[in-house]
Amino acid sequence: MATTTNYSWTTPDDTALVKDGAAAIRSLGTAIDTTVFTNAGAAIAKTIVDAKGDIIAATAADTVSRLAVGANGTVLTAASGQATGLEWALPASGGMTLLSTTSLSGATTTISGISGSYNNLFGIIYGVSNATATGVFRIAPNAATTACNERLRDDTNSDIANGYYLLSSQYNPLFTSTSNIFTFTISNYASSSIIKPISHTSSFIRTGTTWYQNLGNGSYNATTEITSLVFSNAGGNHSTGTVLLYGVK
Amino acid sequence: MTKSTRPIVRIHNIETDEVIDREMNDDEFAQYEAEKAAQAIAKAEAQVKENAKQAILDRIGLTADELKTILG
């Protein structure tokens, strides 16, 4: 007997007798009925999805389920705790987030309430001026004035122990000029178990119009999480200056 | 009412974005004064050193730049 190409249903041969036709048709019909029934049972009904963006996911071997579309901006993420093994989640964020923009003013300016949700802190400070007196520009993490060590990479190559972290080396920027910029990084600032490395770069005018550059590195020698930074000038009040504080993942 | 002469400090709470400008409290002011005194001492000591250096240069009749050149 001849058979069909895809499902091998039995069909009459070209030479089959007419008397065999009814049986052949019945046999073919039964075969088609069986195949269609089986295939329909194995198919995924389109009614399983309800809305735009819905997807179909397996909950076990040979078992499927609808997973509703996630919120805008979310991405599909493997999640073994979920029935479908998937979930819509916000993409992991990275890079830098601006935490605050703070204007320097007075004898000290404290940035408090720093979130511990980042790996590092990065700061840019510019346009610093001082109306009353010039002085070394510095940071005190958590207002601690005796907790930082620093190695100055400048013409002094000197070490500072148990003090402020100095952003201008041991030199006094000419703070009647606002031509200055400082950057600093504090790593692992949110840790409550290790000390925190600090590094900085700076560029400022010391006298006349001559620019001075320096850099340094050191640490905040406490295991306490840093939640605040105090900026000050040894010797006088800040008039202007902007601190941009970033959290870095 | 007497007007306080204590320096002003600024506190920017970035959780609430609240900025407070207030006078230094007793502890802050005490530390501020202690630092000022220490700076004055350090400045005086540096000046004494500088004067001694200059006295030597004057005695040998050289300027600081000339001495640098010699030691070059």
Side-chain angles (χ1 to χ4, degrees), chain B residues 2-3 5 7 11 15-16 21 24-25 31-33 36 45 47 49-51 53 55 57 59 63 65 67 72:
Chain B
T2 54
K3 192 182 170 191
T5 54
I11 299 161
E15 247 180 337
T16 59
D21 290 323
M24 282 184 170
N25 61 30
Q31 186 183 329
Y32 177 79
E33 291 291 288
K36 251 173 64 174
E45 284 173 353
Q47 192 58 53
K49 264 188 196 170
E50 187 56 39
N51 291 346
K53 205 165 79 179
L57 289 171
R59 243 188 301 153
T63 65
D65 284 344
L67 185 64

Side-chain angles (χ1 to χ4, degrees), chain B residues 17-44:
Chain B
D17 205 27
E18 184 184 19
V19 177
I20 296 169
D21 290 323
R22 61 160 173 77
E23 286 182 354
M24 282 184 170
N25 61 30
D26 290 347
D27 288 346
E28 289 165 345
F29 189 61
Q31 186 183 329
Y32 177 79
E33 291 291 288
E35 278 183 14
K36 251 173 64 174
Q39 280 164 23
I41 292 168
K43 198 174 171 185

Side-chain angles (χ1 to χ4, degrees), chain A residues 99-115 138 143 145 164 234-237 245, chain B residues 5-22 24 28 31-32 35-36 39 43:
Chain A
L99 302 180
S100 65
T101 302
T102 302
S103 297
L104 296 175
S105 178
T108 64
T109 299
T110 302
I111 297 178
S112 66
I114 297 172
S115 161
R138 58 201 187 175
T145 59
Y164 288 87
N237 297 340
L245 185 65
Chain B
T5 54
R6 287 188 180 187
I8 301 296
V9 295
R10 168 167 289 185
I11 299 161
H12 181 188
N13 184 334
I14 61 174
E15 247 180 337
T16 59
D17 205 27
E18 184 184 19
V19 177
I20 296 169
D21 290 323
R22 61 160 173 77
M24 282 184 170
E28 289 165 345
Q31 186 183 329
Y32 177 79
E35 278 183 14
K36 251 173 64 174
Q39 280 164 23
K43 198 174 171 185

Side-chain angles (χ1 to χ4, degrees), chain A residues 27-39:
Chain A
S27 172
L28 177 60
T30 302
I32 292 171
D33 180 74
T34 301
T35 300
V36 170
F37 183 78
T38 302
N39 286 354

Side-chain angles (χ1 to χ4, degrees), chain A residues 128-134 173-180 205-206 208 240:
Chain A
V128 182
S129 69
N130 186 323
T132 53
T134 192
L174 182 68
F175 276 143
T176 51
S177 164
T178 54
S179 297
N180 48 62
I205 290 174
R206 274 173 68 189
T240 63

Side-chain angles (χ1 to χ4, degrees), chain A residues 13 24 44 67 71 100 104 109 128-129 162 179 187 201 213 225 244:
Chain A
D13 290 330
I44 298 171
L67 178 64
S100 65
L104 296 175
T109 299
V128 182
S129 69
N162 305 320
S179 297
S187 302
T201 65
Q213 286 82 26
E225 176 183 356
L244 303 177

